Amino acid sequence: MVTRFFSKLSQNYIELLKDDEYYDITIEVGEDPDSNNKNNDNALAHIKLSNTSPEIFQIVLEYIYGGILSLDEKDTSDLLKVLATADKLSLQELVDYLQGYLIENKFEQLEQYFEFSQQISSNSNNLFKLQEFCTNLMVQSSEKVLKSLNFISLPENL
């Protein structure tokens, strides 16, 4: 499933994404990002997202530059990572869409990834739908939380 967003993105900038000659922002992603040998003197900003993999960031870039979100063959864990990255970058339209998509279409998988879902939502002041999903799951189906992947890594106060 490919979803296109153009309501807030006025033009298709996907060709600019492929152009590595002109840029004014550098963004490092991944634990050990490759060093960019280009001269960064012209960069207006430098952003480091060490907890975001290059593959996940590529999905976000396609949204930013082309208004395209491809969900084909993406597992729930990857979609949660895209959501967390979109939240860090304040991409509200993408955040809202992904929260709704995950809750409506990946309900059972979110239960399996409860710990990860809860961690992402609790580290944000913006993921209200995901926070509500996690709270409701804890209250209404605590046995599913106990059976979730990585249950033992949940914070004790939770």
Side-chain angles (χ1 to χ4, degrees):
M1 179 172 118
V2 175
T3 303
R4 296 183 180 271
F5 296 88
F6 287 106
S7 63
K8 294 189 180 185
L9 299 172
S10 61
Q11 297 179 24
N12 187 347
Y13 293 110
I14 204 74
E15 291 302 316
L16 287 175
L17 177 60
K18 297 176 185 173
D19 183 357
D20 63 354
E21 186 174 342
Y22 300 105
Y23 57 90
D24 56 4
I25 296 175
T26 57
I27 302 172
E28 289 184 48
V29 294
E31 290 295 325
D32 187 18
D34 295 332
S35 62
N36 189 346
N37 294 329
K38 294 188 176 212
N39 184 353
N40 289 336
D41 291 341
N42 294 334
L44 296 176
H46 180 85
I47 301 168
K48 187 169 184 174
L49 300 171
S50 59
N51 293 330
T52 302
S53 73
E55 296 80 17
I56 295 301
F57 195 68
Q58 184 65 34
I59 296 167
V60 173
L61 280 178
E62 288 175 1
Y63 166 77
I64 291 171
Y65 280 85
I68 299 167
L69 179 64
S70 177
L71 302 177
D72 294 336
E73 300 179 20
K74 301 288 187 280
D75 67 18
T76 304
S77 175
D78 285 345
L79 294 177
L80 286 166
K81 292 173 187 175
V82 171
L83 175 60
T85 301
D87 183 49
K88 287 179 196 170
L89 296 173
S90 300
L91 300 172
Q92 193 60 46
E93 183 180 34
L94 183 56
V95 166
D96 292 342
Y97 179 82
L98 282 173
Q99 285 184 99
Y101 177 82
L102 285 164
I103 292 167
E104 292 172 21
N105 298 299
K106 302 287 186 176
F107 189 87
E108 290 179 11
Q109 292 88 347
L110 280 178
E111 290 175 352
Q112 291 177 333
Y113 288 100
F114 174 78
E115 184 274 332
F116 190 36
S117 302
Q118 193 279 327
Q119 177 189 19
I120 290 170
S121 67
S122 66
N123 289 334
S124 171
N125 294 326
N126 194 33
L127 300 177
F128 302 115
K129 291 177 186 177
L130 191 58
Q131 289 169 359
E132 182 179 19
F133 169 84
C134 290
T135 301
N136 288 341
L137 187 63
M138 286 187 296
V139 171
Q140 297 170 358
S141 303
S142 58
E143 73 282 350
K144 290 182 180 181
V145 173
L146 296 172
K147 293 178 182 176
S148 68
L149 302 175
N150 298 322
F151 165 73
I152 57 175
S153 63
L154 287 171
E156 186 177 330
N157 62 349
L158 185 64

